[in-house]
Amino acid sequence: MISIAMGGLLTIASCFSLQAQSNIVDEVVWMVGDEPILHSDVEYQKMRMLSEGMRVQDDLDCLISEQLAVQMLFLNQAKIDSITVDESSVTRFVESDIQGMIGQIGSKEKLEEYFGKNLAQIREDRKRMVRNNEIVRSMQQKIASNLTVSPSEIRSYFNSLPADSIPFVPTQVEVQKIARMPNVSLSEIDRIKERLRAFSADISSGKSTFSSLARLYSQDNRTATQGGEYGFVPKTSLETEFARVVFELNDPNRVSQVIKTEEGYHIVQLIEKRGDLINFRHILLRPEVANEALEREVMKLDSIGSLITKSEISFEKAVDEYSQDEKTINNNGLLINENYQSTLAGSSLFSMEDLPQDISRQIANLRVGEISRPFIMINDKGNKEVVLVKLKNRDEAHRANLQMDFQAIKAMALESKRNKVLDEWVKTQQKKTFVEVNEKYRNCTFKYPGWIHENK
């Protein structure tokens, strides 16, 4: 997975909203060593910052161009140190990113019009930027690889923080879950399959196009608006049987057989293969779950909940005997935070905002150790399940302190030390590197003075 360069550099996010602006006329605006910074690079980052709601008082062009110039210092050193990246990861990230841009702006043609380049040129520009970000991340890791902080440094760091700078730790919870998947009738499954076969027949006969049917009927909200186009992905990112069928496709005019996955049932049309990556269109239909099937599972979990409340069975034992949630059944039903934009990702801790909304509502008023009533929710595969949850633990919101939040403060102290080391490295390299700056940027107020060398 591509990681984005840290240490105050701009990130390349996964989606943005394009503003109504004039088209970009590209030119080199900085040279840092052998690395150019293009006007389109600055504009691309500016759009992303604005779309994410970042309010920046300073001149955005100055801010962004300097951050890109700092990036170039790391890139120059990375060349010397022969640091490289996984090109397949770069390609996967860029293809996903471009699909997101097209989705936001409305069409490939509008994206090309905005940047004044064809899609192939935009793709290569994005690859260069993503590749550079990953190289910078690796270079920064190398520079700061041996840093540690002692307990006394952690205490000194925390004690040096102004009172209003001590972070506020939001309420954090641990939640356990029992989930039941209601049965879907065979007649409903047959109905879905027949509908997909009918779509396939209409496409093959020329009566309809795959894209138009995907826009009208596919239940994959991410791809439906793009005519079902999935974007380039590797085989390993797809379910095994789905990947097998898709990668065996060779004719872009053919439609696959009906494929079953955890999400539902699909038909697929090949767009392009590129090395170990593939791009395709798909239509996803999910069988409807009958109300009677849902009610049966609600009643079952209601009975299980009564047994737990009466201490006739433990929650953990009930998970083992009754839960059908493969992600949590081997972990006593304990949820793991998979929101990788959260600082708690990978742990069993959640802020209330990290939890699925249905679960968050259920536990909001529970006390530690209490269980909810059974409820119906949509899982991460888009399917209905009946769920019972238990609030295992709750740490109320508070100002960070060394007793409760030592590991978090340690990470902050280490990050502070790391940033100081990287700042000093930048200042040293800045003096030793050839820099040429466009007249437009020569009057900027920079974080690192000294870009305009006296001999310029």
Side-chain angles (χ1 to χ4, degrees), residues 276-288:
D276 64 344
L277 303 176
I278 192 166
N279 189 14
F280 57 87
R281 299 180 186 90
H282 81 130
I283 296 173
L284 165 67
L285 295 182
R286 296 187 175 96
E288 287 292 325

Side-chain angles (χ1 to χ4, degrees), residues 230-328:
Y230 203 86
F232 282 91
V233 291
K235 194 171 190 176
T236 53
S237 70
L238 304 170
E239 286 188 37
T240 303
E241 178 60 15
F242 188 91
R244 183 190 67 78
V245 175
V246 171
F247 273 83
E248 286 179 357
L249 295 174
N250 292 304
D251 184 353
N253 296 314
R254 297 284 300 274
V255 179
S256 75
Q257 66 195 58
V258 177
I259 315 168
K260 180 184 178 182
T261 70
E262 292 181 19
E263 292 184 89
Y265 293 84
H266 314 246
I267 52 173
V268 179
Q269 184 182 61
L270 175 67
I271 297 177
E272 181 185 354
K273 290 180 180 177
R274 187 179 295 165
D276 64 344
L277 303 176
I278 192 166
N279 189 14
F280 57 87
R281 299 180 186 90
H282 81 130
I283 296 173
L284 165 67
L285 295 182
R286 296 187 175 96
E288 287 292 325
V289 179
N291 288 335
E292 294 81 1
L294 288 168
E295 284 302 318
R296 280 195 296 273
E297 297 303 336
V298 168
M299 291 175 64
K300 187 176 187 68
L301 278 187
D302 193 48
S303 298
I304 293 169
S306 295
L307 293 175
I308 294 170
T309 301
K310 295 174 184 177
S311 299
E312 294 181 20
I313 186 173
S314 68
F315 194 94
E316 291 72 19
K317 182 67 172 175
V319 169
D320 185 55
E321 292 189 7
Y322 301 109
S323 184
Q324 297 173 323
D325 182 17
E326 293 183 358
K327 286 186 176 180
T328 62

Side-chain angles (χ1 to χ4, degrees), residues 192-421:
I192 291 295
K193 288 181 177 179
E194 283 304 316
R195 194 172 190 208
L196 288 170
R197 292 186 185 110
F199 288 162
S200 181
D202 287 348
I203 295 163
S204 298
S205 68
K207 183 178 178 181
S208 300
T209 65
F210 200 107
S211 295
S212 62
L213 291 175
R215 288 189 176 93
L216 288 170
Y217 302 111
S218 181
Q219 293 176 296
D220 181 354
N221 294 332
R222 185 182 74 84
T223 64
T225 56
Q226 304 306 313
E229 184 167 353
Y230 203 86
F232 282 91
V233 291
K235 194 171 190 176
T236 53
S237 70
L238 304 170
E239 286 188 37
T240 303
E241 178 60 15
F242 188 91
R244 183 190 67 78
V245 175
V246 171
F247 273 83
E248 286 179 357
L249 295 174
N250 292 304
D251 184 353
N253 296 314
R254 297 284 300 274
V255 179
S256 75
Q257 66 195 58
V258 177
I259 315 168
K260 180 184 178 182
T261 70
E262 292 181 19
E263 292 184 89
Y265 293 84
H266 314 246
I267 52 173
V268 179
Q269 184 182 61
L270 175 67
I271 297 177
E272 181 185 354
K273 290 180 180 177
R274 187 179 295 165
D276 64 344
L277 303 176
I278 192 166
N279 189 14
F280 57 87
R281 299 180 186 90
H282 81 130
I283 296 173
L284 165 67
L285 295 182
R286 296 187 175 96
E288 287 292 325
V289 179
N291 288 335
E292 294 81 1
L294 288 168
E295 284 302 318
R296 280 195 296 273
E297 297 303 336
V298 168
M299 291 175 64
K300 187 176 187 68
L301 278 187
D302 193 48
S303 298
I304 293 169
S306 295
L307 293 175
I308 294 170
T309 301
K310 295 174 184 177
S311 299
E312 294 181 20
I313 186 173
S314 68
F315 194 94
E316 291 72 19
K317 182 67 172 175
V319 169
D320 185 55
E321 292 189 7
Y322 301 109
S323 184
Q324 297 173 323
D325 182 17
E326 293 183 358
K327 286 186 176 180
T328 62
I329 192 170
N330 294 319
N331 195 29
N332 291 327
L334 190 64
L335 298 180
I336 299 299
N337 193 328
E338 295 181 343
N339 177 6
Y340 290 101
Q341 294 181 339
S342 169
T343 57
L344 302 172
S347 76
S348 60
L349 295 173
F350 292 79
S351 68
M352 298 300 284
E353 291 74 21
D354 290 342
L355 284 168
Q357 287 187 2
D358 291 319
I359 293 179
S360 181
R361 282 194 294 267
Q362 291 294 326
I363 69 162
N365 297 315
L366 292 181
R367 288 177 292 189
V368 173
E370 289 185 336
I371 63 172
S372 70
R373 298 293 303 274
F375 61 96
I376 299 168
M377 64 175 283
I378 304 296
N379 63 22
D380 59 352
K381 300 297 183 183
N383 297 312
K384 290 180 180 179
E385 62 182 15
V386 182
V387 175
L388 191 71
V389 293
K390 174 185 174 181
L391 179 59
K392 182 182 180 184
N393 189 43
R394 184 201 303 269
D395 290 328
E396 297 294 348
H398 61 278
R399 288 286 178 188
N401 61 74
L402 287 169
Q403 289 70 41
M404 296 180 64
D405 309 293
F406 184 83
Q407 291 301 321
I409 295 168
K410 178 182 177 181
M412 292 168 58
L414 183 60
E415 183 66 13
S416 175
K417 187 174 183 178
R418 178 180 180 276
N419 286 339
K420 288 177 183 178
V421 168

Side-chain angles (χ1 to χ4, degrees), residues 9 125 173 189 191 230 257 291 348 456:
L9 299 182
D125 284 349
V173 296
I189 292 172
R191 183 186 71 83
Y230 203 86
Q257 66 195 58
N291 288 335
S348 60
K456 294 293 179 192

Side-chain angles (χ1 to χ4, degrees), residues 161-208:
L161 291 174
D164 59 359
S165 296
I166 296 175
F168 186 78
V169 180
T171 298
Q172 295 177 1
V173 296
E174 288 184 299
V175 180
Q176 292 169 281
K177 167 186 176 184
I178 300 172
R180 299 283 303 174
M181 315 303 170
N183 290 327
V184 178
S185 68
L186 291 177
S187 60
E188 174 62 9
I189 292 172
D190 288 340
R191 183 186 71 83
I192 291 295
K193 288 181 177 179
E194 283 304 316
R195 194 172 190 208
L196 288 170
R197 292 186 185 110
F199 288 162
S200 181
D202 287 348
I203 295 163
S204 298
S205 68
K207 183 178 178 181
S208 300

Side-chain angles (χ1 to χ4, degrees), residues 78-120:
K79 284 183 179 179
I80 297 171
D81 293 356
S82 301
I83 290 176
T84 59
V85 299
D86 178 3
E87 283 299 319
S88 64
S89 294
V90 172
T91 299
R92 288 196 294 272
F93 186 93
V94 169
E95 292 301 337
S96 175
D97 195 44
I98 286 177
Q99 292 304 315
M101 288 193 286
I102 291 172
Q104 290 292 330
I105 199 170
S107 70
K108 174 176 74 74
E109 290 72 23
K110 288 181 180 179
L111 188 68
E112 291 176 329
E113 180 183 359
Y114 181 85
F115 281 105
K117 300 179 179 182
N118 63 40
L119 193 61

